[in-house]
C-alpha cells in the first residue's frame, strides 16, 4: 500500500519541512538496505552506538527524499555550504518528531488500523518463528497470508512487519519478542492481535526478569484485547499465568496426547512436536477443515530461520535460502547478497506461490528488486516465472521449466567465480542444486552463527562511550570461525579496526574485499613490502623492528605510514619499556617521516580476575603516564588502548580511546559470570554407525577401557585430524546426541571417534554436537586444562564451515 507524504505527516503528527509531493511505499531504518529510494521513508533512529541522522546526507545523494528526524534538520545541514535545509537538501521532506522509533511504531499502528482481518500474534521464549512459518505452510493454500519476515519480532522488526499488510491480505501472522519488562505494550498496540498464540517459556533473555513467571506475564500482555488465546494446557507455568492474566476472551488450551493422536507429524524432537501442535490448534480455530489439516500437517517442512553461506565448487560462494519463496524474504536475501563484495551476483529463483499479487505485478516487482540489488544473472525455474520472461530486463536471464532441466544444462556447468543465491519453494527441490554446487567434504561441519557474532559485538559496545573506538580480533582465522566471513560481518557493522596476527592474514582479507583498517599484531620483517602493498598497519614493539620498518618504508618512498606502538607494562612478552624506552621511542619517531604513530597500547595480564586488580592498576598507571608522554610529543591524535574483552566490562573507566575485543566476540565470557553472550561456532558431526558391544569388550585402538555393561556404541566421523583432542577420549569428556551427554569411549582416532549412546534414543544419521551453543568449548578446555582459545583454534582446515544469519 502507498501513502502520500501528506497522509504520513498527519498520521505521525509530525512537523513537516519541505513541500515535495511523493508516495511512500517502503520504510527504511538501515541505510545499507536501501532499494527503492524514490518511494522510501527513512527513520533516523538513535541507538547507544549509532545515530541514523549521520546517514541522511549519503541517503540523499542516493535518491532518498523523505526523512523522519528527531531534531530540526537545519542542524543536520549546518556543515553543508549555505547552512540551510533548502540549499543542503532541495526537494526533500523532513518530518520532525520527538522520537523516530516511536514514529515508526505509530505509523505501523495506524496502518494496522486499516485492516479488519484475523491477525495472529505469536510470542513466547522459543518456537515463535517455527510456529509462524508452519502456520503459513498450513494456511497459505487457501488464504493470502502476510507474515513477519524471518524473525522480525523486535521493537523495530514488528512495525516493519506490520507495514507489509496489503489489500490482498486475508490473515496476518506476526511474532513479538521482548527482552525486558515494559516492552510488550508497544508491540501489542502495533500488532493488535485478534488471535494470540503463546509458545513455551524458557531461558532466553531471562537476565532481565526475576522469574519465568514474570516473563510469561509480560508476554501475555500482547493478548490483552485479543478474542482468543491458544496455549499448551499441559504446561503448568503457562496455564497458571493464563489464569492469572485475567484474559477475558476465549481460552483454547490444547493437550499434547489429544492432538498428537490425530496427526501424523514428520518430526521426532519435542520442540518441533510442541510447535506443530500449536499450529494445529490455531489452524482449526481459523477454519481449516480437519481432513485438510491432517494432510498438511503430515507435509510440514523444516523451517530454516537463517541464510547459509557455503563454499562452492569452481570458485563460487553459495547463499542457501531454499526453504521458502516469497517477495519479502526474497528482498531480505537479495539485500544480504548485495552487501558482499563479489561483483558477479547470480540469483537462482523458482516460481513464487501464494503471493496475493497478480503474476504480472509480482514478477515485475522481482525484476525491479533484482535490478536494484545488483543481480548480474537470473536463472529462473518454473512455468509461471517463465511465462513472464518479457518482464525481466537484467543483463543475463535464463529460463528453465524445472530443476532437472537446469541441472542438465550448460548454464549449470558454467557457474564459476560468482556468488549464487539459491531461493526457491520446496516443491522445486532446490536442495539438489545446493548439493551439486557445494564442495564435497565429510560430514563434520563447523556452523558459524553470524547473528551471535553481532549480538556479542553489541553486548560489548553497550559498555562503551559513543566516542570509543573498537578493534576486533580476527587472527587465527577468527579464532577458527573463518576470518573472511567474520570480517565481512564486522565491516558491515562498522567496527573501527580489525586485527590479525601476521601480514598474510591481512592479505587474505584484502583479497576478499575487506577495506577496514587492519592492524598486524606480529609483523615479520620479511613482510614489510606486503604490508605496504596491502595497506596493513604493523605493531611496533622493539627498536630493531622500528629501525627496519623505517628503512623499508624510506626505500619505497613512503611517508606517514601508520604504526601501533606497544608498551610492556607487565606482560613481559613484547613491547617497549614504558619508563626506560619511551624517550628514545619519541626521539626516533620524531627524527624521521616514514612512519607515524597511529595508536599506543599495552596488555593487561589479569583483567579477567579481581585477584590481579592491584597489578592491573599498576599496569594502567604505567601505561597512562607513558602514553600521555607520547601523545604530548605529537600534534596529531594518537589512539590509546588497553582494555581487552574482560577489561571492557571489568574496567570500563579505562576504555580510553579504543578497546580490543577478542574472545568475548566469539561468545565466551572471560569473566565467567554468565554474560549474555552466544557461542559463535558450533562443531557438529553425525552418527555413522551404531553397534551393540557386549560387556567386558573394548572399543578402539590399544584396548583402553573395558566396557562395564552391554553398550550401544556410535561411530562419528571426527578425530584428532579434525581438531578433536585425543585427551578427551576414554571417558574424559562427552559430546551431545539429541541433547544428551554421550561420553567418548576408547582412544580418539585420526578420523573417527566412538561414543556411548546406550541410554540415548538415536539412529544413524542423527546429529552430534562436539561443542557450541549447547556445549561450550570451555567444557572441553577445562578437561584439557587449557583455555577455550586453544579448542576454537584447533579445528582443522578440512572441516567445512557453514555460515548462517537469521
Amino acid at each position: 500500500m502507498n501513502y502520500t507524504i501528506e497522509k504520513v505527516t498527519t498520521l505521525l503528527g509530525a512537523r513537516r519541512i519541505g513541500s515535495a509531493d511523493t508516495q511512500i511505499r517502503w520504510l527504511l531504518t538501515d541505510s545499507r538496505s536501501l532499494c527503492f529510494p524514490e518511494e522510501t521513508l527513512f527513520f533516523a533512529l538513535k541507538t547507544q552506538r549509532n545515530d541514523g541522522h549521520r546517514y541522511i546526507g549519503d541517503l540523499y545523494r542516493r535518491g532518498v527524499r523523505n526523512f523522519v528526524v528527531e531534531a530540526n534538520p537545519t542542524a543536520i545541514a549546518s556543515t553543508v555550504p549555505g547552512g540551510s535545509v533548502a540549499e543542503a537538501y532541495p526537494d526533500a521532506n523532513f518530518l520532525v518528531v520527538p522520537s523516530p522509533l516511536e514514529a515508526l511504531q505509530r505509523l505501523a499502528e495506524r496502518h494496522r488500523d486499516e485492516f479488519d482481518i484475523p491477525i495472529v500474534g505469536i510470542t513466547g521464549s522459543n518456537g515463535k518463528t517455527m510456529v509462524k512459518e508452519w502456520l503459513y505452510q498450513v494456511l497459505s493454500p487457501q488464504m493470502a497470508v502476510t507474515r513477519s519476515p524471518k524473525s522480525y519480532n523486535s521493537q523495530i522488526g514488528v512495525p516493519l512487519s506490520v507495514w507489509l499488510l496489503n489489500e490482498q491480505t486475508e490473515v496476518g501472522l506476526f511474532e513479538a519478542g521482548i527482552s525486558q519488562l515494559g516492552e510488550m505494550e508497544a508491540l501489542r498496540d502495533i500488532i493488535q492481535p485478534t488471535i494470540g498464540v503463546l509458545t513455551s517459556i524458557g531461558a532466553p533473555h531471562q537476565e532481565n526478569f526475576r522469574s519465568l513467571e514474570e516473563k510469561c506475564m509480560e508476554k501475555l500482555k500482547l493478548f490483552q484485547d485479543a478474542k482468543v488465546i491458544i496455549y499448551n494446557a499441559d504446561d503448568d507455568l503457562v496455564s497458571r499465568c493464563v489464569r492469572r492474566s485475567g484474559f477475558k476472551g476465549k481460552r483454547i488450551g490444547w493437550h499434547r496426547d489429544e492432538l498428537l493422536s490425530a496427526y501424523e507429524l514428520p518430526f521426532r524432537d519435542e520442540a518441533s512436536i510442541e510447535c506443530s501442535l500449536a499450529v494445529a490448534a490455531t489452524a482449526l480455530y481459523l477454519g481449516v477443515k480437519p481432513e485438510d489439516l491432517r494432510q498438511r500437517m503430515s507435509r510440514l517442512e523444516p523451517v530454516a530461520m537463517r541464510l547459509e553461506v557455503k563454499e562452492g565448487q569452481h570458485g563460487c560462494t553459495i547463499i542457501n535460502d531454499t526453504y521458502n519463496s516469497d517477495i519479502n524474504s526474497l528482498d531480505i536475501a537479495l539485500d544480504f547478497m548485495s552487501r558482499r563484495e563479489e561483483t558477479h551476483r547470480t540469483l537462482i529463483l523458482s516460481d513464487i506461490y501464494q503471493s496475493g499479487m497478480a503474476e504480472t505485478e509480482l514478477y515485475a516487482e522481482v525484476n525491479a528488486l533484482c535490478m536494484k540489488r545488483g543481480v548480474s544473472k537470473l536463472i529462473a525455474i518454473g512455468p509461471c516465472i517463465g511465462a513472464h520472461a518479457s518482464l525481466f530486463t537484467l543483463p543475463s536471464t535464463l529460463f528453465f521449466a524445472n530443476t532437472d532441466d537446469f541441472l542438465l544444462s550448460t548454464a549449470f556447468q558454467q557457474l564459476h567465480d560468482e556468488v549464487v543465491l539459491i531461493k526457491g519453494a520446496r516443491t522445486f527441490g532446490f536442495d539438489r542444486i545446493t548439493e551439486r554446487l557445494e564442495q564435497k567434504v565429510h560430514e563434520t561441519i563447523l556452523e558459524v552463527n553470524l547473528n551471535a557474532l553481532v549480538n556479542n559485538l553489541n553486548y560489548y559496545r553497550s559498555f562503551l562511550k559513543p566516542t570509543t573506538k573498537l578493534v576486533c580480533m580476527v587472527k587465527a582465522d577468527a579464532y577458527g570461525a573463518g576470518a573472511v566471513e567474520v570480517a565481512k560481518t564486522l565491516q558491515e557493522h562498522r567496527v573501527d579496526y580489525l586485527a590479525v596476527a601476521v601480514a598474510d592474514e591481512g592479505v587474505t582479507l584484502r583479497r576478499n574485499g575487506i577495506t577496514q583498517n587492519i592492524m598486524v599484531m606480529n609483523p615479520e620483517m620479511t613482510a614489510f613490502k606486503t604490508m605496504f602493498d596491502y595497506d596493513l598497519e604493523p605493531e611496533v614493539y622493539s627498536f630493531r623492528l622500528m629501525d627496519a620498518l623505517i628503512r623499508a618504508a624510506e626505500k619505497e618512498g613512503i611517508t606517514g605510514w601508520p604504526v601501533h606502538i606497544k608498551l610492556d607494562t607487565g606482560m613481559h612478552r613484547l613491547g617497549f619499556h614504558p619508563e626506560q624506552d619511551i624517550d628514545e621511542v619519541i626521539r626516533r619517531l620524531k627524527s624521521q617521516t616514514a612512519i607515524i604513530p597511529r595508536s599506543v597500547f599495552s596488555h593487561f595480564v589479569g583483567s579477567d580476575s579481581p585477584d590481579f586488580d592491584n597489578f592491573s592498576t599498576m599496569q594502567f598507571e604505567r601505561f597512562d603516564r607513558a602514553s600521555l608522554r607520547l601523545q604530548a610529543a605529537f600534534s596529531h591524535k594518537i589512539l590509546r588502548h588497553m582494555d581487552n574483552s574482560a577489561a571492557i566490562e571489568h574496567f570500563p573507566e579505562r576504555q580510553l580511546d579504543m578497546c580490543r575485543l577478542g574472545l568475548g566476540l566469539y561468545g565466551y565470557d572471560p569473566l565467567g559470570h554468565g554474560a549474555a553472550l552466544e557461542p559463535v561456532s558450533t562443531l557438529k558431526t553425525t552418527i555413522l554407525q551404531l553397534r551393540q558391544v557386549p560387556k567386558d569388550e573394548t572399543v578402539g585402538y590399544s584396548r583402553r577401557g573395558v566396557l562395564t555393561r552391554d553398550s550401544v556404541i556410535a561411530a562419528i566421523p571426527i578425530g584428532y585430524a579434525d581438531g578433536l583432542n585425543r585427551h578427551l577420549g576414554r571417558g574424559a569428556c562427552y559430546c551431545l546426541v539429541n541433547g544428551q551427554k554421550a561420553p567418548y569411549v576408547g582412544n580418539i582416532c585420526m578420523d573417527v571417534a566412538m561414543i556411548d549412546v546406550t541410554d540415548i534414543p538415536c539412529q544413524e544419521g542423527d546429529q552430534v554436537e562436539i561443542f557450541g551453543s549447547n556445549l561450550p568449548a570451555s567444557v572441553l578446555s577445562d578437561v584439557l586444562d587449557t583455555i577455550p582459545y586453544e579448542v576454537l583454534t584447533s579445528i582443522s582446515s578440512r572441516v567445512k564451515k557453514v555460515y548462517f544469519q537469521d
Side-chain angles (χ1 to χ4, degrees):
M1 291 178 65
N2 288 10
Y3 286 81
T4 65
I5 192 65
E6 291 84 0
K7 179 69 171 177
V8 171
T9 303
T10 301
L11 292 176
L12 295 183
R15 179 167 63 91
R16 178 181 173 189
I17 299 176
S19 58
D21 292 330
T22 188
Q23 295 282 322
I24 299 300
R25 183 182 176 192
W26 304 88
L27 306 185
L28 182 68
T29 60
D30 186 338
S31 63
R32 297 165 296 181
S33 297
L34 178 65
C35 189
F36 296 100
E38 301 82 3
E39 300 175 292
T40 289
L41 178 64
F42 176 69
F43 289 78
L45 305 182
K46 285 187 176 181
T47 66
Q48 285 185 318
R49 292 292 304 176
N50 213 344
D51 184 351
H53 296 81
R54 299 175 184 171
Y55 306 104
I56 288 175
D58 176 63
L59 287 169
Y60 181 84
R61 286 187 291 273
R62 294 162 64 190
V64 178
R65 292 296 180 267
N66 299 285
F67 305 91
V68 177
V69 297
E70 181 175 323
N72 189 312
T74 302
I76 301 167
S78 62
T79 59
V80 179
S84 70
V85 174
E87 293 182 22
Y89 305 107
D91 69 345
N93 292 302
F94 288 88
L95 308 187
V96 184
V97 296
S99 165
L101 174 59
E102 292 178 6
L104 171 67
Q105 295 173 339
R106 179 179 174 84
L107 181 59
E109 182 181 337
R110 298 285 76 80
H111 180 63
R112 164 67 181 89
D113 291 340
E114 299 293 317
F115 298 88
D116 184 17
I117 58 174
I119 298 291
V120 181
I122 307 165
T123 193
S125 299
N126 305 295
K128 296 185 292 293
T129 301
M130 198 175 293
V131 169
K132 178 202 65 184
E133 290 297 323
W134 281 341
L135 265 176
Y136 174 77
Q137 290 181 27
V138 167
L139 298 176
S140 59
Q142 67 189 64
M143 305 177 188
V145 181
T146 294
R147 69 195 195 279
S148 307
K150 298 291 181 181
S151 53
Y152 277 32
N153 58 32
S154 66
Q155 299 290 313
I156 297 172
V158 167
L160 294 177
S161 298
V162 170
W163 181 257
L164 299 174
L165 290 168
N166 57 62
E167 295 90 339
Q168 288 80 34
T169 305
E170 296 176 282
V171 62
L173 311 175
F174 301 111
E175 299 178 47
I178 58 170
S179 58
Q180 59 188 19
L181 291 171
E183 289 186 331
M184 190 56 88
E185 286 92 338
L187 303 186
R188 177 193 64 213
D189 293 343
I190 299 167
I191 297 174
Q192 301 169 45
T194 61
I195 302 165
V197 178
L198 182 64
T199 66
S200 63
I201 302 297
H205 302 297
Q206 185 59 40
E207 63 272 11
N208 294 321
F209 296 94
R210 290 174 295 183
S211 66
L212 290 175
E213 188 161 325
E214 182 180 63
K215 181 197 292 185
C216 187
M217 295 301 293
E218 176 71 14
K219 289 178 180 290
L220 281 167
K221 291 178 182 178
L222 176 65
F223 310 133
Q224 179 177 303
D225 301 315
K227 296 177 181 178
V228 62
I229 182 173
I230 298 169
Y231 62 96
N232 181 359
D234 297 330
D235 187 318
D236 291 338
L237 170 66
V238 167
S239 295
R240 184 171 66 251
C241 290
V242 169
R243 290 193 299 271
R244 282 189 54 211
S245 69
F247 179 72
K248 296 181 176 59
K250 183 177 181 180
R251 301 177 186 178
I252 299 178
W254 56 267
H255 294 276
R256 184 184 190 278
D257 292 342
E258 181 182 320
L259 276 179
L260 197 55
S261 64
Y263 300 102
E264 179 183 340
L265 301 176
F267 309 107
R268 296 170 59 239
D269 63 289
E270 284 300 318
S272 296
I273 290 172
E274 181 171 341
C275 289
S276 58
L277 295 181
V279 168
T282 308
L284 287 170
Y285 178 80
L286 282 166
V288 177
K289 295 178 180 179
E291 56 271 25
D292 291 337
L293 183 58
R294 272 191 292 273
Q295 184 183 56
R296 295 172 194 173
M297 292 290 287
S298 67
R299 296 177 179 175
L300 288 177
E301 296 168 343
V303 176
M305 295 170 283
R306 61 202 194 187
L307 292 165
E308 293 181 335
V309 181
K310 302 180 180 182
E311 188 176 352
Q313 298 186 53
H314 312 302
C316 289
T317 298
I318 304 166
I319 302 176
N320 181 25
D321 195 17
T322 60
Y323 305 94
N324 55 49
S325 183
D326 61 83
I327 195 71
N328 295 318
S329 64
L330 174 62
D331 186 29
I332 292 170
L334 286 173
D335 178 34
F336 180 74
M337 180 169 68
S338 70
R339 298 190 194 183
R340 302 182 61 84
E341 295 297 326
E342 291 90 341
T343 56
H344 196 94
R345 302 185 180 108
T346 296
L347 169 64
I348 302 177
L349 180 69
S350 76
D351 288 347
I352 297 176
Y353 298 138
Q354 286 98 30
S355 70
M357 301 167 65
E359 287 189 351
T360 300
E361 178 187 359
L362 170 66
Y363 292 113
E365 177 97 339
V366 170
N367 179 67
L369 285 173
C370 291
M371 295 291 289
K372 291 289 186 177
R373 298 295 189 197
V375 174
S376 310
K377 178 169 61 180
L378 171 67
I379 297 172
I381 299 175
C384 295
I385 194 170
H388 296 84
S390 62
L391 297 175
F392 290 92
T393 57
L394 294 162
S396 175
T397 312
L398 303 171
F399 294 88
F400 297 90
N402 53 57
T403 302
D404 288 331
D405 286 354
F406 169 59
L407 289 174
L408 294 171
S409 70
T410 57
F412 175 76
Q413 298 170 5
Q414 291 172 354
L415 289 173
H416 62 87
D417 298 314
E418 51 201 289
V419 57
V420 182
L421 170 61
I422 305 175
K423 180 78 175 152
R426 274 280 183 180
T427 55
F428 283 85
F430 274 15
D431 53 328
R432 290 183 292 144
I433 300 175
T434 303
E435 290 170 5
R436 291 276 298 276
L437 278 177
E438 280 185 55
Q439 283 196 347
K440 303 303 180 196
V441 295
H442 66 337
E443 294 170 279
T444 298
I445 64 170
L446 186 74
E447 284 191 348
V448 181
N449 184 344
L450 298 177
N451 288 96
L453 184 82
V454 174
N455 291 340
N456 297 337
L457 172 67
N458 289 335
Y459 173 79
Y460 282 100
R461 276 179 161 170
S462 70
F463 292 96
L464 302 183
K465 301 172 186 176
T467 55
T468 303
K469 298 181 183 297
L470 194 62
V471 52
C472 289
M473 298 294 161
V474 293
K475 61 183 180 178
D477 202 27
Y479 292 37
V484 172
E485 293 298 332
V486 167
K488 287 180 178 180
T489 301
L490 295 173
Q491 179 170 274
E492 182 180 328
H493 287 269
R494 299 184 175 92
V495 301
D496 302 283
Y497 263 93
L498 301 172
V500 297
V502 295
D504 284 348
E505 292 180 331
V507 171
T508 298
L509 297 183
R510 288 285 186 246
R511 288 176 174 171
N512 283 275
I514 300 302
T515 58
Q516 211 72 9
N517 288 20
I518 298 176
M519 186 186 304
V520 180
M521 305 299 286
N522 300 105
E524 298 161 308
M525 293 191 186
T526 56
F528 290 155
K529 180 66 162 59
T530 298
M531 287 187 282
F532 298 149
D533 290 344
Y534 287 91
D535 195 20
L536 307 174
E537 303 175 19
E539 165 189 312
V540 175
Y541 53 80
S542 71
F543 291 119
R544 175 172 172 265
L545 176 62
M546 179 186 290
D547 291 343
L549 179 61
I550 291 171
R551 287 194 300 271
E554 289 174 341
K555 183 178 179 181
E556 296 291 326
I558 290 172
T559 60
W561 194 262
V563 299
H564 303 270
I565 305 299
K566 184 174 187 176
L567 303 180
D568 176 13
T569 58
M571 178 76 77
H572 301 322
R573 184 172 61 182
L574 294 170
F576 295 102
H577 194 286
E579 283 95 19
Q580 298 172 11
D581 293 339
I582 192 65
D583 289 336
E584 181 63 14
V585 168
I586 293 170
R587 188 193 68 78
R588 294 198 193 191
L589 287 173
K590 292 186 72 68
S591 66
Q592 53 79 53
T593 59
I595 63 174
I596 186 171
R598 179 68 182 102
S599 83
V600 56
F601 69 101
S602 188
H603 284 283
F604 282 115
V605 169
S607 58
D608 57 348
S609 172
D611 295 341
F612 304 116
D613 280 359
N614 290 337
F615 192 81
S616 295
T617 298
M618 180 272 294
Q619 278 193 280
F620 182 76
E621 290 173 351
R622 284 181 177 177
F623 175 74
D624 193 40
R625 289 192 298 270
S627 61
L628 287 175
R629 286 172 65 187
L630 179 65
Q631 176 63 84
F634 292 87
S635 58
H636 71 278
K637 176 70 173 179
I638 299 175
L639 300 173
R640 300 192 302 149
H641 51 108
M642 194 164 180
D643 273 5
N644 55 6
S645 295
I648 288 172
E649 196 168 352
H650 193 42
F651 304 131
E653 73 280 3
R654 297 171 180 169
Q655 60 187 252
L656 301 174
D657 301 306
M658 187 159 70
C659 296
R660 300 186 304 275
L661 184 55
L663 186 63
L665 179 65
Y666 299 94
Y668 292 91
D669 177 15
L671 295 177
H673 58 27
L677 301 175
E678 304 174 56
V680 168
S681 298
T682 297
L683 183 60
K684 292 182 176 181
T685 189
T686 56
I687 294 176
L688 288 178
Q689 187 180 41
L690 294 171
R691 67 169 63 247
Q692 303 283 339
V693 182
K695 179 182 177 181
D696 297 328
E697 288 287 328
T698 60
V699 176
Y701 286 118
S702 303
R703 296 183 60 82
R704 301 293 295 273
V706 178
L707 295 179
T708 58
R709 61 174 179 172
D710 292 342
S711 303
V712 180
I713 303 298
I716 56 177
I718 184 172
Y720 57 79
D722 300 293
L724 185 64
N725 195 296
R726 290 185 78 246
H727 292 94
L728 298 171
R730 305 205 304 273
C733 198
Y734 59 89
C735 54
L736 296 181
V737 176
N738 294 328
Q740 298 184 50
K741 296 180 181 179
Y744 295 103
V745 181
N747 284 324
I748 291 171
C749 308
M750 180 181 287
D751 308 303
V752 177
M754 287 71 71
I755 56 177
D756 186 344
V757 294
T758 306
D759 302 316
I760 304 174
C762 60
Q763 60 188 17
E764 292 176 1
D766 278 1
Q767 196 171 84
V768 180
E769 181 174 324
I770 306 301
F771 67 74
S773 53
N774 301 301
L775 177 56
S778 54
V779 173
L780 282 66
S781 64
D782 287 347
V783 171
L784 297 169
D785 193 23
T786 184
I787 54 179
Y789 294 84
E790 183 175 344
V791 174
L792 295 172
T793 58
S794 295
I795 303 306
S796 167
S797 59
R798 79 177 187 178
V799 174
K800 180 178 69 172
K801 298 179 180 70
V802 175
Y803 300 88
F804 64 89
Q805 177 171 309
D806 289 350

